[in-house]
Amino acid sequence: MPFEAFLAKVRSAGFDGVEVAFPEDRGRCREMVSALEESGLVYVAQHWDTFTTDFAAHQKQYYRRLEQLADTRPLCINSHSGRDHFSLEENLILLEGADRLSEELGLPIYHETHRGRFNFACHITAAYIDAKPDLKLTADFSHWCCVAESLLQDQEVGLKKAIQRSFHVHCRVGHIQGSQVIDPSLPEYAQTLERHLQWWGDIAEAARARGQELLTFTAEFGPAPYMLPHPERAGPIANQWEQNVWIVDQLRRKLAQTETNHSLPTV
């Protein structure tokens, strides 16, 4: 689907904005920004594509990519930062550098809780928060459920720390053997869905308590390999678009219950 058509679809579905993985081609980025501005949608830029295992090379590539994404003038940058196999000291160097860049650019940079990154697990992230109390996270706890093979019932202390430091949210429902349920509306996942909704509501309350003016949510049910293939025919097992529309409706209901009225769902 052409990008402009996608934006029109997003707008007609009642979303306020999008999260965009901009390409490295700056010319194409300018075209996409023009389309975004014309659509009237707000947007978050996503960094996910720095994987180099050599730390020195990784550091250079990471900052260069963040600088390029900043040129698109997003609300904020959501970043897959560091690597799970880098040391705490190395990952902290990357995070401090991102903070300096954020200050120079006048643009928030949030670090997504994601497998393969520095904050791949709840207990590990708690240690980073202890070492860096001003850490700013994008909360995607679906990954943590998969890593811990639980809904994190035994990690409430770490969860509370992460919730207090979450400034952007990815709304995907994970389960104890994967980071995306087949369909969040299935009754088999009712408890899992409620657990995630409670986390998102708690994050909204924490944001309001600290005076955050705008809290963004991205509905993030993804395609393959997050979405499983159908076992009997070609194609995915469920409709990705319908799941993202559905989860935003559930989120809005939850936030209405908590009387949080400054939240901005995005797709």
Side-chain angles (χ1 to χ4, degrees):
M1 178 184 296
F3 188 60
E4 292 77 7
F6 169 70
L7 295 180
K9 185 177 182 179
V10 168
R11 187 68 182 268
S12 65
F15 291 98
D16 300 297
V18 291
E19 184 164 329
V20 183
F22 287 99
E24 293 188 13
D25 185 314
R26 291 180 182 267
R28 178 56 183 151
C29 284
R30 287 192 292 270
E31 293 173 356
M32 294 172 72
V33 168
S34 178
L36 284 161
E37 291 175 344
E38 186 173 344
S39 74
L41 295 167
V42 298
Y43 56 98
V44 171
Q46 185 185 87
H47 160 262
W48 61 273
D49 48 351
T50 305
F51 294 105
T52 309
T53 57
D54 177 81
F55 178 75
H58 188 108
Q59 189 176 18
K60 293 178 181 178
Q61 292 178 14
Y62 176 60
Y63 297 147
R64 183 169 63 247
R65 188 72 169 112
L66 292 178
E67 288 176 343
Q68 184 209 348
L69 291 173
D71 287 342
T72 66
R73 304 184 302 278
L75 283 177
C76 62
I77 296 175
N78 170 46
S79 178
H80 291 200
S81 299
R83 297 298 302 270
D84 54 359
H85 55 80
F86 286 166
S87 69
L88 183 144
E89 291 75 16
E90 288 172 329
N91 280 319
L92 285 175
I93 289 171
L94 293 174
L95 295 174
E96 291 295 342
D99 280 355
R100 289 192 296 271
L101 189 60
S102 175
E103 186 174 353
E104 292 172 8
L105 298 171
L107 179 69
I109 299 174
Y110 306 138
H111 307 281
E112 183 180 347
T113 59
H114 202 286
R115 288 168 297 160
R117 300 301 180 173
F118 82 90
N119 48 7
F120 65 93
C122 181
H123 69 289
I124 296 295
T125 305
Y128 277 94
I129 293 172
D130 289 342
K132 184 174 170 53
D134 61 347
L135 182 62
K136 293 183 178 181
L137 299 172
T138 290
D140 188 345
F141 299 159
S142 68
H143 292 279
W144 289 356
C145 295
C146 177
V147 170
E149 292 193 316
S150 75
L151 295 181
L152 309 173
Q153 299 94 331
D154 56 351
Q155 299 194 52
E156 294 294 341
V157 173
L159 271 171
K160 185 175 181 179
K161 290 181 180 181
I163 285 168
Q164 293 295 321
R165 299 309 305 162
S166 293
F167 290 74
H168 176 49
V169 184
H170 274 189
C171 297
R172 180 172 53 230
V173 178
H175 60 105
I176 64 173
Q177 293 299 332
S179 60
Q180 182 168 298
V181 296
I182 294 173
D183 184 339
S185 67
L186 291 175
E188 292 86 345
Y189 296 122
Q191 179 184 4
T192 301
L193 171 65
E194 182 54 38
R195 181 71 164 159
H196 284 71
L197 287 170
Q198 185 61 55
W199 290 333
W200 303 339
D202 290 347
I203 290 169
E205 290 292 340
R208 180 166 57 182
R210 66 171 168 259
Q212 185 174 343
E213 294 183 0
L214 185 67
L215 177 62
T216 47
F217 295 85
T218 295
E220 212 210 9
F221 281 84
Y226 285 106
M227 180 76 71
L228 296 176
H230 197 283
E232 297 178 348
R233 56 169 172 77
I237 198 169
N239 187 298
Q240 176 192 0
W241 174 261
E242 290 177 358
Q243 289 190 0
N244 282 314
V245 171
W246 187 87
I247 200 65
V248 165
D249 181 63
Q250 301 303 305
L251 171 64
R252 285 174 169 155
R253 292 171 185 267
K254 179 65 176 181
L255 296 182
Q257 293 173 4
T258 59
E259 298 182 349
T260 303
N261 56 16
H262 67 289
S263 303
L264 174 66
T266 67
V267 64

